[in-house]
Amino acid sequence: MNTADLGLPVAVPSTALFTDQYELTMLQAALRSGTADRRSVFEVFTRRLPEGRRYGVVAGTGRVLDAVENFRFDETILGFLRERGILDEPTLQWLTDFRFRGDIWGYPEGEVYFPGSPILRVEGTFAEAVLLETVILSILNHDSAVAAAASRMSVAAGERPLMEMGARRTHELAAVAASRAAYVGGFHATSDLAAGFRYNIPTVGTSAHAFTLLHDTERDAFTAQVDTLGSGTTLLVDTFDVTEAVRAAVEVAGPGLGAVRIDSGDLLLIAHRVRQQLDELGAEKTKIVVTSDLDEYAIASLAAAPVDAYGVGTQLVTGSGHPTCSMVYKLVARADSNEPGAPLRPVAKKSMGAKTSMGGRKWAARRLDEDSVASAEVVGTGPVPAELEDQQLQIPLVSAGMVVAREPLDAARDRHIAARAGLPLSATQLSRGEAVIPTEYTTEYV
């Protein structure tokens, strides 16, 4: 069973109240003014990458599709809005049978993005499209931040497996989303069983220091764990004295001990000492797992250490210092009337400073060099140049209100690995820098 295909509900019966109030008050005013049914185009993009990042990772797209499907105003929700006096009765009646019936195009999940990339394009009436702003941004900003951190950690880890262990460091629902995003970004497993159930992500976990402290001796704790989970388990060896713990672990489990975990101290030094000790005890195949507040820099510093796997928590679920991607949801085009065939007019906010944006319904393509390596992100309006037609990035996600692009999570994970491999080599450097490829704009309103 692949639970990613089941469309399991979120932990609330509807996503309709994952909404800022002004979206509903704008709806009410637009209904009253007669502009609610104007065909409109909204786009999600970011004006810049987080400081020092070379690329972004699109994550959360599958959750966006679930959220759009679950965006319903039932009687309980309508009653809340009525009781608070947030909306008038005509608007509440309009919401009674609300369903998003428009179209959504976007970068497929796992793809990389850059400043100005039109990551998501929502088309429909103003009334139906404006309501989705907050829920879409909350998902994409969070999940893409975690996935970007996961991608950097994956690069630093090389071929060594990564385990997500951050559930206790964030909100319980955010923890599930973070596990999913980390998997897209290159992690291999999670300790969070809710994420394993909902998204079919492999799960891991054995014991914590509390289990060792529960027993009279460390050896007693190891014996109990091995008797229960078998000699292939992972024993935590840094509760007291690492050297004594490793000796006891091998004596209890035998040379077939699966792994030892180190969760504190100078990981580089300890890993070398533990590897030497394990080999001397005949446990040459026993692996070493390290945890302890790792980030991509700490992982990279352990590249030469005899470490077999990493467990990452706090830094991963908080985006390794960048918990949001600063994505925005902007109206970029709208019709002059409510007529279905009315032409679209590009619109954009005129602003001083860094909040400028470009109007018009946009396409995006990635230009490649002679070695098929990305050389530019090209964003434009109007016709797509013939030489870029095969490199377009946006795909249909929702058509006439129906989801058309739901996929297993492994597909997004595989896509990210391929997309990252198609970037210039400098994209994988952990040193600070600008976006690894430039964003070029071409405009032609039609």
Side-chain angles (χ1 to χ4, degrees):
M1 177 182 69
N2 190 337
T3 52
D5 296 328
L6 297 181
L8 295 174
V10 292
V12 293
S14 168
T15 53
L17 290 185
F18 292 164
T19 305
D20 288 313
Q21 181 170 311
Y22 77 167
E23 289 160 16
L24 293 174
T25 54
M26 283 192 289
L27 166 67
Q28 178 173 296
L31 288 171
R32 184 169 297 184
S33 70
T35 55
D37 289 332
R38 286 187 176 182
R39 181 181 169 212
S40 299
V41 180
F42 287 82
E43 288 177 350
V44 175
F45 62 95
T46 185
R47 296 183 176 96
R48 67 192 66 84
L49 296 176
E51 183 180 357
R53 295 290 170 86
R54 315 303 298 274
Y55 62 91
V57 181
V58 178
T61 309
R63 296 208 307 122
V64 166
L65 300 181
D66 291 341
V68 171
E69 284 190 332
N70 283 286
F71 205 93
R72 306 283 188 268
F73 292 83
D74 59 25
E75 287 303 317
T76 301
I77 292 174
L78 293 171
F80 164 77
L81 297 172
R82 182 178 290 110
E83 178 184 345
R84 291 289 183 94
I86 294 171
L87 298 175
D88 61 20
E89 199 59 35
T91 306
L92 292 170
Q93 290 302 313
W94 187 92
L95 291 172
T96 300
D97 62 349
F98 174 82
R99 301 289 185 274
F100 178 75
R101 296 180 173 86
D103 301 326
I104 300 178
W105 289 67
Y107 283 37
E109 190 158 19
E111 184 58 82
V112 296
Y113 71 88
F114 300 92
S117 297
I119 296 164
L120 204 73
R121 188 176 74 232
V122 181
E123 301 186 24
T125 66
F126 176 84
E128 61 184 345
V130 74
L131 294 181
L132 301 179
E133 175 182 3
T134 300
V135 69
I136 285 176
L137 287 179
S138 65
I139 292 172
L140 293 180
N141 268 312
H142 172 269
D143 290 24
S144 297
V146 174
S151 180
R152 286 164 60 86
M153 293 174 189
S154 176
V155 168
E159 298 299 318
R160 297 171 178 176
L162 289 159
M163 298 168 287
E164 183 277 315
M165 304 170 64
R168 63 193 62 197
R169 299 292 188 247
T170 187
H171 184 278
E172 65 272 17
L173 296 183
V176 181
S179 294
R180 182 186 184 281
Y183 191 71
V184 171
F187 272 58
H188 299 80
T190 179
S191 65
D192 192 302
L193 289 176
F197 170 73
R198 179 169 172 79
Y199 297 116
N200 203 30
I201 301 170
T203 55
V204 294
T206 51
S207 68
H209 294 104
F211 186 76
T212 300
L213 297 172
L214 170 69
H215 292 79
D216 294 336
T217 69
E218 199 166 38
R219 184 180 294 270
D220 289 343
F222 291 167
T223 299
Q225 185 174 329
V226 170
D227 286 347
T228 303
L229 301 178
S231 61
T233 190
T234 299
L235 296 177
L236 181 59
V237 295
D238 74 325
T239 305
F240 303 116
D241 181 272
V242 173
T243 301
E244 291 301 319
V246 171
R247 181 179 295 110
V250 176
E251 289 176 355
V252 169
L257 172 63
V260 295
R261 178 162 74 95
I262 307 166
D263 188 52
S264 60
D266 184 336
L267 297 179
L268 179 61
L269 176 62
I270 295 173
H272 278 286
R273 289 177 175 174
V274 169
R275 180 73 272 159
Q276 180 179 352
Q277 185 182 9
L278 288 170
D279 292 346
E280 291 173 350
L281 293 171
E284 293 91 349
K285 295 184 179 180
T286 298
K287 296 180 178 180
I288 298 175
V289 179
V290 296
T291 50
S292 185
D293 292 328
L294 299 177
D295 61 10
E296 60 266 48
Y297 302 103
I299 293 170
S301 73
L302 293 168
V307 171
D308 298 286
Y310 306 94
V312 189
T314 303
Q315 292 300 319
L316 175 64
V317 299
T318 57
S320 195
H322 297 290
T324 182
C325 300
S326 300
M327 293 179 185
V328 294
Y329 184 96
K330 296 298 182 182
L331 180 67
V332 296
R334 54 90 170 168
D336 286 332
S337 71
N338 293 341
E339 295 298 320
L344 290 173
R345 172 196 299 271
V347 295
K349 173 184 177 181
K350 290 185 178 180
S351 175
M352 301 293 290
K355 284 196 172 184
T356 57
S357 57
M358 185 176 75
R361 180 181 184 271
K362 299 176 197 67
W363 50 263
R366 191 158 296 147
R367 180 180 293 124
L368 307 179
D369 65 16
E370 60 275 10
D371 297 317
S372 296
V373 175
S375 62
E377 192 90 337
V378 185
V379 176
T381 59
V384 180
E387 67 272 16
L388 294 177
E389 286 184 354
D390 293 338
Q391 303 302 327
Q392 292 187 76
L393 295 163
Q394 297 160 317
I395 64 169
L397 301 172
V398 176
S399 180
M402 301 295 294
V403 172
V404 296
R406 187 168 277 116
E407 62 183 3
L409 194 58
D410 280 324
R413 173 187 167 85
D414 293 343
R415 181 180 295 114
H416 175 62
I417 294 171
R420 189 176 65 199
L423 296 176
L425 187 60
S426 58
T428 60
Q429 294 177 341
L430 295 182
S431 58
R432 294 182 179 276
E434 299 299 320
V436 72
I437 61 174
T439 303
E440 300 176 358
Y441 295 96
T442 174
T443 61
E444 181 180 344
Y445 299 130
V446 295

